[in-house]
Amino acid sequence: MEFNTLKVKQVRRLTDKAVAVSFEIPKELKKTYAFKAGQYATVEHQHQGEVIRRSYSICAAPSEGELVMGVKEIHQGKFSVYANRELSAGDVLMVSTPEGRFTFENNRWRSKNILCIAAGSGITPIMSIAKEALSNHNSNTVYLLYGNQSEADEMFAEELDQLVAAYPERLKLFRTYSRAASDKGAFGRIDNALCLHTLKNAFGQPKLDLAYLCGPEGMIETLKESLQKYGMPEDKILYELFYSEKEEVSSSLEGQVLIDVLIDGVTHSINAAADKLVLDSLLENDLDAPYSCQGGVCSSCICKVKKGAVEMVKNQILTDSEIAQGLTLACQAKITEAPLSIDFDDV
Ligand code: FES
């Protein structure tokens, strides 16, 4: 992951609590900032003397040629409050190169029926995926189920209406609101019943090739089951979680352990508390390990265990076969066998 200073081109208000931030990308960095539909970029920001990183999904499609991210203001959010209330065109931000595996690639999925389900700001990567799927292949159909608390909370409402008008046959949009009823959609949260009801009654029971889910963990777990019952194979259901809280860390090891870590071709050796998460120890030792969400969500911190062993507190990203190959998420890894040797280059 590489960070560069980028100038903010525009901050466009989407709702009272969300903005779309676009960046000017200098010519020499155009290739570096090329992205796939569904990826995110990470912003590094100074907040009250502390350097923090936050990742935000890109809402533009690659074919639009612009880097735009959606930022929803969350209560006491260390970057999102600043972005929503103070950031403006001409300001500069440290922004990482795009990353993420929740992606849509047109060359692999021609003429497909694609289901997208988004809750709240989960619409951000889905916007990119839907626009890409619709614009580059004239036989892809997108079925989008989009849930919000109320109409006022709906990000990209106008842009979605314009997309439906542009692709009336190939974009089927169904909205639902969980707190304030609206004649624009149903009333209720996205759950198993609403998902299956929408597929049947609003979308005409299509045969689906791919599904993209973005929202809170509970919704994702429920929908994965619903869609498998609907007949979709598990590996065709892709998902991205919102930030997930850290869980308790416990380790059978005690005291200090030795960690060797290879980053950008250089090996560093540190002593770390055995009961700490590996990424936390690396950052405390000022090592430039890649990371973003620190919550086991974004996949930036994937590394390979070469010696010793770790266990992940939480893993929604790596498959069993990737774990068997030694891959782990440094932000979720607790050491179970020391000394530990990890490699961020061989992933
Ligand atoms: S930093 Fe995001 S998964 Fe580890």
Side-chain angles (χ1 to χ4, degrees), residues 54-252:
R54 293 290 180 272
S55 47
Y56 295 96
S57 293
I58 298 167
C59 54
S63 50
E64 292 177 298
E66 241 201 336
L67 185 74
V68 191
M69 55 172 58
V71 183
K72 183 170 177 180
E73 182 175 325
I74 56 167
H75 181 58
Q76 295 184 344
K78 289 180 179 172
F79 175 74
S80 66
V81 171
Y82 166 74
N84 271 269
R85 301 185 190 184
E86 292 177 45
L87 191 68
S88 60
D91 290 348
V92 291
L93 284 174
M94 288 290 280
V95 182
S96 78
T97 44
E99 295 217 325
R101 313 201 297 176
F102 182 66
T103 56
F104 173 82
E105 291 172 64
N106 256 322
N107 54 355
R108 286 179 63 202
W109 306 108
R110 287 166 196 268
S111 314
K112 298 291 181 191
N113 284 338
I114 302 144
L115 175 69
C116 295
I117 303 184
S121 57
I123 191 64
T124 314
I126 297 289
M127 283 302 290
S128 176
I129 289 166
K131 286 188 280 189
E132 187 69 1
L134 291 165
S135 64
N136 282 7
H137 286 282
N138 58 11
S139 40
N140 284 339
T141 301
V142 175
Y143 300 90
L144 171 56
L145 170 57
Y146 182 21
N148 279 289
Q149 292 186 346
S150 71
E151 257 190 70
D153 296 307
E154 195 178 325
M155 294 167 70
F156 306 106
E158 251 176 60
E159 201 173 342
L160 279 169
D161 288 338
Q162 286 163 6
L163 266 185
V164 172
Y167 301 100
E169 299 304 321
R170 297 196 295 116
L171 174 58
K172 309 292 176 197
L173 169 63
F174 190 79
R175 292 166 154 117
T176 184
Y177 303 96
S178 59
R179 292 222 179 137
S182 159
D183 55 11
K184 280 175 76 181
F187 181 63
R189 289 158 61 91
I190 299 176
D191 58 11
N192 172 55
L194 183 72
C195 171
L196 295 177
H197 182 269
T198 307
L199 280 168
K200 187 170 175 211
N201 298 301
F203 296 158
Q205 210 133 13
K207 182 174 176 338
L208 297 170
D209 301 296
L210 266 178
Y212 290 87
L213 317 176
C214 191
E217 194 164 359
M219 181 194 93
I220 304 267
E221 290 308 320
T222 304
L223 295 183
K224 278 197 314 193
E225 262 180 48
S226 313
L227 292 175
Q228 284 176 66
K229 279 189 202 140
Y230 184 76
M232 290 197 73
E234 197 179 355
D235 65 340
K236 298 294 181 218
I237 304 169
L238 284 82
Y239 57 91
E240 183 152 277
L241 299 169
F242 285 166
Y243 180 75
S244 143
E245 291 297 329
K246 273 186 189 171
E247 290 178 10
E248 279 298 297
V249 184
S250 63
S251 171
S252 54

Side-chain angles (χ1 to χ4, degrees), residues 1 40 55 279 290-302 314 317 328-332:
M1 184 161 52
Y40 62 84
S55 47
L279 180 69
Y291 73 96
S292 176
C293 70
Q294 291 182 270
V297 172
C298 73
S299 78
S300 303
C301 65
I302 292 176
K314 189 167 209 167
I317 292 171
T328 193
L329 300 172
C331 76
Q332 297 299 304

